[in-house]
Amino acid sequence: MTSNKLEYDSALGGSVSLPTHVQTYRYAANVVQEIRQLIDEVRNPVSRKLVFQTLPKHMRRRAMSHHPKRLPRKYRAAHRSQMSKAGKPQQTKRPSRKHRRRPSNLLRDYLRRQRRQVWLETHIWHAKRFHMVERWGYRLPQASCDKTYRACYRASAEHCLLQDISFFACIELKGKVTDLSAGFSRLTSPKCGFSIAAKTYTTGRREGSIDLFRDGKYPEYALGRACFMWRPLDSDDTANSEEISRTLWVWIHPSAYPALLEELIKVFQLISVNSIQVHIKPDEPSDDECIDVQKKDKSSKPLKPKEQRRLQFMTKSLAFERIKRYRNEKSCIELNDLKDAINRFRLTGHLAQSVLVQAFKPKQINENTTTTWLHKLFEENTHSKSTHESQSEFWENCSELSSPGELLSNMILALNIEDPRLNRPKKRTKALPAQPLNPTGLDFLLNVKNNLGQSVLWNSEVRDELCKSMIVPSEYSKLRAKHAAVPGARCQFEEEMQAVPVILIQRPGSQLAQYKRLCYGCGWDVIAPAGYGMSIWLSLIMWGAKPGGLREFETVAREMGTEEYLPDTVAGRVLATTRHQELRAKYFRKPPNKRHNYQKLAIVSPFRAPFPELVRDWTTDALQKCSAPSAFHILRDRALLQQLLLHIQGKLKVYPEGIPENCLIQLQLRMKARGNLEDFSLICLPTRGDFKRNLRQIKNENHDPVFTEPLATDKSECVRKNLRQMHKKLLKRLRARRVREKRKRQETSNTRVYISPANTATRVAEQFQRMCKLWLPEGHKELYSVRNQCQREVFGYAPTAHFSYTEATVCAIGYVTPAGLKKLLQLCCQTNVRQPMCLMRSPKSRHYRFACFKLNLNV
């Protein structure tokens, strides 16, 4: 008898006996089940990793998650399915860069991108080097990608700053001077300065500027400041200058262009003329001329579609299409819309004279060369040759000047120059002035001829023919490669290239030494035909001009003590609305703990200057105080501004009468000591204690603020907290309800259950708007305390404030109410303050500091 053997678990206190045989069918069934499971695991692996994450490290690429072709071929299908489940959209195949950079495809893409926003001729050059923004229907450069803020100021002060202002709209008017003057008298006022028919402007020697308003609405409803220039008279027409038809160009900002065009059509009673081409003659041609024109039209070949697209892209204008034309048959007044048909560049700085002298060389007439438009002009008109010679002589004399400020202010000089590509240096060179003039060489500045402003650019046919017959850069490069035997030397075909007519307009800059730095902002404006914009731009850049954008417009105006866009004009209102929306959206993108609580800082409107509400609070009319915010305007009356300046200086004891209560007075403010200002800073009235405290601080060399605003209570803080908690509870309750519904339906379903989305976007948006109103109550009903929003009375705002390099301190351009300024001057007189001062405060600070101010007469 055999005894039972102990097994491996006998030490645990028990014994297990193993069977002596195994049942084959049971073993086979279990093994088959295991094999099936292994096969399923191999075929359908369950992994929490993505396909491209399972690869070895040496095969992984960062672009695998975006481009399936980076993976091995056998894994691409699984990768695409995983990406589609993740909600990533399927990427379409993009053409290769080589295909997209073909000239035809590139041109087609450029034309497509110009449908929504208009491009300037220098757009591609700017797009590679500047931050581009969308403004007024254009795609314009804002600021350089490099750090060029200080460099642009140095260029505008000592060197040369170059800006493309071709987006300014040009409107051409034709008619008698008396008729045009009568129409513009309804759009402006003689209190703002010279009229459009002043003798200093009608001769065509100078460019003028005028403030335009709605028809009969002066001083309210301002459109903006416009520049204008008259076409000079020929020597034969000087006797009957009042009877003949004259041509007037008006340059206006693009934001005010639609309103001005509407007002001109209404004032002059113009009717649109349809189906009329650009090629317009001022006088009716004779029968022989009509026959010649017909022959020319038959002989000229029509342009191919590719050539038309190329010309359209090159000019960015309507020069080869139809332009808007209006006419009054009774008064024979015509209006031609030349918007986007002419280039205009602005050069600012003392070296602008040297840059233009090097880039613009007068065309020398060679009788042996082929006939161009300049030869034909000399043959048709005998006076044109003498005019060209006198203009060239005057420009050669100007080459010895060191600054444009030495010339006649706002003078107009027309030139027929060589193609700018011929005088371009091999590498960028800084143009420097020549030796200073001798006292005997200044005679040409005193005896300026009247024919210096005559130019063929006033003729629309010549402008269009210039653009059509110019040699495009690609053809010019091919001709240079074919004919240039010596690198850098001129070729024979370059001598036969047509001349380019340009018009130069001098800008005097600052003219009041006691207000701002003398001659700061002086320079030249260059008017050039369409098609030559890029050639002229590159020539000026290569001769040392510093390119600038829209930011430099505001910088130069701030350094001159003015503002580019006044708040009562169309451009100013559009800009204020845009800035308010952008700053407000940026403010609410921040988390609550990163936002400034302006209610505790006692700031009513941190992102805009509430001028209507400010004027309403300072008015003496009780009924107007209770009504809605009233309209305001900037004081532009030169006589009242002069009297006010004398009163501020102490030369006139009585405060001038006749200043309307709903106007604002522009001031240039300068910080007395330390302190920084930001946009939309408050201008407040000081108290007697503030003046005494300031004297003690000056004596003790104490740089602390004069007064610090105490923290106010935020009444909406608890409301915001409760609303936030209730909103979170509501969202959690809705989510829990949807989860319960999904679980309940999943119990009775064999497939995956999908329930409807939350649809809480409307509730979230309403909650956001409700919280925004609690953070920044900017409605008209809440702005009843603009004047008394803080401990010091607010009587003005400074929409723009920045550090000024000319003043070496922080400066700002502000607008104050007449009643508040009167109260400030009386307080300064009572406290024996020699120089009137006011308090200023940044919207993000509680500190008040003193600032002195100056009155701007040239608003």
Side-chain angles (χ1 to χ4, degrees):
M1 181 177 176
T2 60
S3 62
N4 294 332
K5 296 181 179 180
L6 297 178
E7 300 298 336
Y8 63 92
D9 57 348
S10 60
L12 301 178
S15 62
V16 175
S17 61
L18 295 177
T20 57
H21 63 276
V22 176
Q23 297 179 355
T24 308
Y25 66 93
R26 290 185 178 178
Y27 174 76
N30 294 333
V31 170
V32 168
Q33 186 66 24
E34 291 178 0
I35 292 174
R36 286 178 180 176
Q37 292 179 359
L38 289 175
I39 293 175
D40 291 339
E41 289 292 336
V42 172
R43 290 180 177 179
N44 303 317
V46 178
S47 176
R48 295 182 180 180
K49 294 184 179 180
L50 298 177
V51 174
F52 68 91
Q53 293 175 341
T54 59
L55 295 175
K57 291 186 177 180
H58 70 278
M59 296 180 62
R60 297 183 187 181
R61 299 291 183 272
R62 181 181 297 180
M64 284 181 176
S65 59
H66 306 285
H67 303 287
K69 289 187 178 180
R70 298 284 185 179
L71 276 78
R73 191 181 301 274
K74 59 181 179 180
Y75 296 128
R76 292 177 187 175
H79 175 75
R80 290 193 184 95
S81 64
Q82 287 181 350
M83 292 296 103
S84 62
K85 291 179 181 178
K88 185 177 180 180
Q90 187 70 19
Q91 290 184 350
T92 58
K93 183 179 180 181
R94 189 181 184 187
S96 63
R97 188 178 187 275
K98 182 178 180 181
H99 180 270
R100 287 184 280 115
R101 298 298 296 182
R102 290 178 181 174
S104 59
N105 298 335
L106 195 63
L107 178 59
R108 189 180 299 108
D109 185 51
Y110 285 163
L111 293 175
R112 176 189 59 81
R113 290 156 60 184
Q114 292 181 64
R115 294 174 185 170
R116 190 166 59 93
Q117 300 290 335
V118 180
W119 285 7
L120 304 181
E121 290 190 26
T122 58
H123 171 83
I124 295 180
W125 190 93
H126 279 105
K128 296 179 180 180
R129 300 164 179 87
F130 278 69
H131 297 285
M132 308 299 289
V133 294
E134 295 181 0
R135 292 287 187 274
W136 315 299
Y138 291 87
R139 188 75 175 172
L140 301 176
Q142 173 67 20
S144 175
C145 295
D146 298 333
K147 296 180 180 180
T148 58
Y149 188 87
R150 291 175 63 92
C152 288
Y153 165 74
R154 289 195 300 267
S156 64
E158 303 296 340
H159 306 295
C160 179
L161 177 68
L162 177 62
Q163 296 168 286
D164 189 355
I165 60 171
S166 302
F167 55 89
F168 273 71
C170 179
I171 299 176
E172 184 182 59
L173 290 166
K174 295 182 179 180
K176 296 181 180 179
V177 177
T178 55
D179 297 338
L180 294 177
S181 177
F184 274 94
S185 63
R186 298 167 54 180
L187 302 177
T188 185
S189 173
K191 298 180 181 180
C192 299
F194 288 122
S195 66
I196 203 168
K199 290 184 179 181
T200 185
Y201 302 135
T202 53
T203 58
R205 297 174 58 187
R206 291 185 174 184
E207 183 191 44
S209 60
I210 192 172
D211 294 311
L212 297 175
F213 304 84
R214 292 280 185 180
D215 184 15
K217 299 294 185 179
Y218 172 82
E220 298 178 354
Y221 300 99
L223 300 179
R225 175 162 290 187
C227 299
F228 64 91
M229 51 190 298
W230 290 89
R231 181 175 184 176
L233 290 171
D234 296 333
S235 58
D236 301 334
D237 301 332
T238 55
N240 301 325
S241 59
E242 297 182 358
E243 299 298 331
I244 64 174
S245 179
R246 299 288 302 276
T247 304
L248 174 70
W249 278 356
V250 181
W251 297 83
I252 190 69
H253 194 269
S255 61
Y257 157 76
L260 176 60
L261 185 62
E262 178 185 355
E263 293 297 325
L264 292 176
I265 293 173
K266 182 178 67 173
V267 167
F268 294 108
Q269 300 178 0
L270 302 174
I271 300 175
S272 177
V273 181
N274 298 325
S275 68
I276 294 182
Q277 298 292 336
V278 175
H279 304 282
I280 307 164
K281 288 190 176 181
D283 301 328
E284 295 184 0
S286 59
D287 297 337
D288 298 337
E289 292 178 352
C290 291
I291 295 173
D292 295 339
V293 171
Q294 292 177 2
K295 290 181 180 179
K296 290 181 181 178
D297 294 340
K298 291 181 180 179
S299 61
S300 61
K301 297 181 180 179
L303 295 176
K304 297 179 181 180
K306 290 185 178 180
E307 295 179 355
Q308 290 181 357
R309 289 198 300 268
R310 179 180 60 80
L311 291 173
Q312 181 184 2
F313 169 70
M314 177 181 63
T315 58
K316 319 290 188 306
S317 65
L318 304 177
F320 300 95
E321 301 177 2
R322 299 179 181 180
I323 62 174
K324 298 177 183 179
R325 292 193 61 222
Y326 304 88
R327 183 178 176 84
N328 187 343
E329 298 295 341
K330 294 182 179 179
S331 59
C332 298
I333 294 179
E334 295 183 7
L335 188 148
N336 298 330
D337 183 10
L338 301 183
K339 186 174 180 287
D340 303 329
I342 304 177
N343 290 309
R344 183 158 180 164
F345 305 105
R346 175 160 293 178
L347 292 89
T348 306
H350 295 289
L351 289 187
Q353 182 73 32
S354 304
V355 171
L356 288 181
V357 166
Q358 296 293 337
F360 292 169
K361 301 294 184 182
K363 182 71 173 179
Q364 300 297 331
I365 302 302
N366 189 0
E367 301 297 339
N368 298 328
T369 58
T370 57
T371 57
T372 59
W373 66 268
L374 193 58
H375 293 82
K376 296 178 182 178
L377 179 66
F378 291 165
E379 293 176 359
E380 295 174 358
N381 192 351
T382 57
H383 300 288
S384 58
K385 188 173 183 180
S386 61
T387 302
H388 173 73
E389 293 176 354
S390 61
Q391 292 171 351
S392 302
E393 181 183 0
F394 184 86
W395 185 242
E396 291 177 359
N397 294 331
C398 291
S399 62
E400 300 180 358
L401 297 177
S402 59
S403 174
E406 301 176 9
L407 291 166
L408 180 67
S409 62
N410 299 109
M411 72 166 296
I412 298 175
L413 174 62
L415 291 175
N416 298 319
I417 62 173
E418 296 178 347
D419 196 295
R421 291 170 287 190
L422 305 181
N423 297 311
R424 191 180 300 169
K426 295 182 181 179
K427 61 180 182 179
R428 194 175 183 190
T429 307
K430 183 178 180 181
L432 297 175
Q435 296 296 327
L437 276 175
N438 297 324
T440 57
L442 300 175
D443 296 338
F444 76 99
L445 297 177
L446 303 177
N447 302 323
V448 179
K449 298 182 180 180
N450 295 329
N451 59 353
L452 295 182
Q454 294 181 4
S455 175
V456 296
L457 275 181
W458 293 91
N459 192 344
S460 61
E461 294 181 356
V462 176
R463 291 197 304 268
D464 298 342
E465 188 63 29
L466 282 169
C467 192
K468 289 181 180 179
S469 58
M470 73 170 290
I471 300 178
V472 296
S474 59
E475 296 178 2
Y476 177 74
S477 301
K478 292 178 182 178
L479 291 174
R480 283 286 305 176
K482 181 179 180 181
H483 296 283
V486 180
R490 284 201 178 186
C491 304
Q492 181 62 29
F493 79 93
E494 293 180 337
E495 300 294 338
E496 301 175 358
M497 293 176 67
Q498 64 180 359
V500 182
V502 295
I503 298 178
L504 307 180
I505 304 171
Q506 192 266 357
R507 291 185 297 109
S510 179
Q511 296 293 296
L512 299 176
Q514 64 273 14
Y515 182 69
K516 265 296 182 178
R517 176 180 173 181
L518 192 63
C519 286
Y520 176 81
C522 65
W524 288 94
D525 279 8
V526 180
I527 299 177
Y532 284 93
M534 196 62 192
S535 302
I536 294 177
W537 179 268
L538 290 177
S539 297
L540 299 176
I541 291 293
M542 293 300 290
W543 280 112
K546 183 75 175 178
L550 295 179
R551 181 188 65 184
E552 278 62 48
F553 282 100
E554 300 178 1
T555 302
V556 173
R558 189 187 308 115
E559 296 292 343
M560 292 179 63
T562 60
E563 192 171 11
E564 185 70 18
Y565 311 114
L566 298 183
D568 66 334
T569 60
V570 177
R573 292 174 180 174
V574 172
L575 182 63
T577 304
T578 305
R579 291 180 64 189
H580 176 259
Q581 294 175 354
E582 293 176 355
L583 294 175
R584 190 174 184 273
K586 182 180 179 181
Y587 175 77
F588 284 110
R589 280 197 300 267
K590 298 178 181 179
N593 59 345
K594 298 296 182 182
R595 301 175 190 165
H596 287 84
N597 194 333
Y598 290 106
Q599 295 192 36
K600 290 187 177 181
L601 296 176
I603 299 296
V604 173
S605 180
F607 306 133
R608 71 179 182 94
F611 289 125
E613 293 80 6
L614 182 68
V615 170
R616 179 196 61 187
D617 291 351
W618 279 92
T619 187
T620 57
D621 191 359
L623 296 177
Q624 192 174 0
K625 280 187 176 182
C626 301
S627 61
S630 59
F632 69 96
H633 65 274
I634 306 301
L635 183 63
R636 295 180 175 87
D637 194 333
R638 300 298 176 89
L640 291 177
L641 288 174
Q642 186 65 35
Q643 295 178 13
L644 190 59
L645 178 61
L646 295 176
H647 180 67
I648 293 175
Q649 295 176 351
K651 300 178 182 179
L652 185 64
K653 295 184 180 181
V654 182
Y655 189 81
E657 299 179 357
I659 300 179
E661 291 185 343
N662 63 337
C663 76
L664 295 174
I665 302 170
Q666 188 187 87
L667 299 177
Q668 192 258 341
L669 301 116
R670 181 179 182 274
M671 297 299 293
K672 291 289 292 183
R674 296 183 180 180
N676 190 15
L677 295 178
E678 296 183 359
D679 294 347
F680 312 108
S681 295
L682 280 65
I683 306 175
C684 306
L685 289 174
T687 61
R688 291 176 177 268
D690 295 334
F691 284 114
K692 295 179 180 178
R693 195 177 303 108
N694 184 43
L695 292 177
R696 290 196 300 267
Q697 290 180 353
I698 293 174
K699 184 178 180 180
N700 299 330
E701 297 182 358
N702 187 0
H703 301 288
D704 292 339
V706 177
F707 178 72
T708 301
E709 181 77 17
L711 277 176
T713 57
D714 185 5
K715 300 179 181 178
S716 305
E717 187 173 6
C718 296
V719 180
R720 290 197 305 269
K721 184 177 181 180
N722 295 333
L723 282 177
R724 189 181 300 111
Q725 292 178 355
M726 292 173 60
H727 182 65
K728 287 183 178 180
K729 289 181 180 179
L730 176 62
L731 294 181
K732 288 182 179 179
R733 192 183 308 116
L734 293 176
R735 183 180 181 279
R737 184 185 303 172
R738 294 175 65 251
V739 170
R740 288 195 302 269
E741 180 184 359
K742 183 177 181 180
R743 289 176 179 175
K744 184 177 181 181
R745 292 172 57 183
Q746 189 70 44
E747 293 176 356
T748 59
S749 177
N750 296 328
T751 60
R752 188 171 183 178
V753 175
Y754 295 94
I755 60 176
S756 59
N759 292 330
T760 57
T762 305
R763 295 180 180 179
V764 172
E766 292 177 355
Q767 172 71 9
F768 178 73
Q769 295 297 332
R770 194 179 301 112
M771 295 295 289
C772 289
K773 291 180 180 179
L774 292 175
W775 274 99
L776 291 178
E778 291 190 353
H780 293 313
K781 295 182 180 179
E782 291 83 2
L783 293 181
Y784 58 89
S785 60
V786 174
R787 177 178 177 178
N788 299 317
Q789 59 182 297
C790 49
Q791 297 290 331
R792 297 294 182 264
E793 280 189 300
V794 179
F795 73 106
Y797 274 88
T800 57
H802 205 274
F803 184 86
S804 175
Y805 292 109
T806 57
E807 300 289 341
T809 186
V810 178
C811 294
I813 304 298
Y815 301 89
V816 298
T817 58
L821 181 61
K822 182 180 179 180
K823 188 175 181 180
L824 174 65
L825 295 176
Q826 291 177 354
L827 180 63
C828 293
C829 183
Q830 294 173 2
T831 54
N832 297 325
V833 177
R834 296 181 180 179
Q835 186 180 15
M837 296 184 299
C838 62
L839 288 178
M840 294 204 68
R841 174 192 169 197
S842 176
K844 294 181 181 179
S845 174
R846 296 189 293 133
H847 301 320
Y848 293 83
R849 295 183 183 272
F850 273 107
C852 58
F853 57 87
K854 297 179 182 179
L855 181 66
N856 185 16
L857 297 178
N858 299 323
V859 181

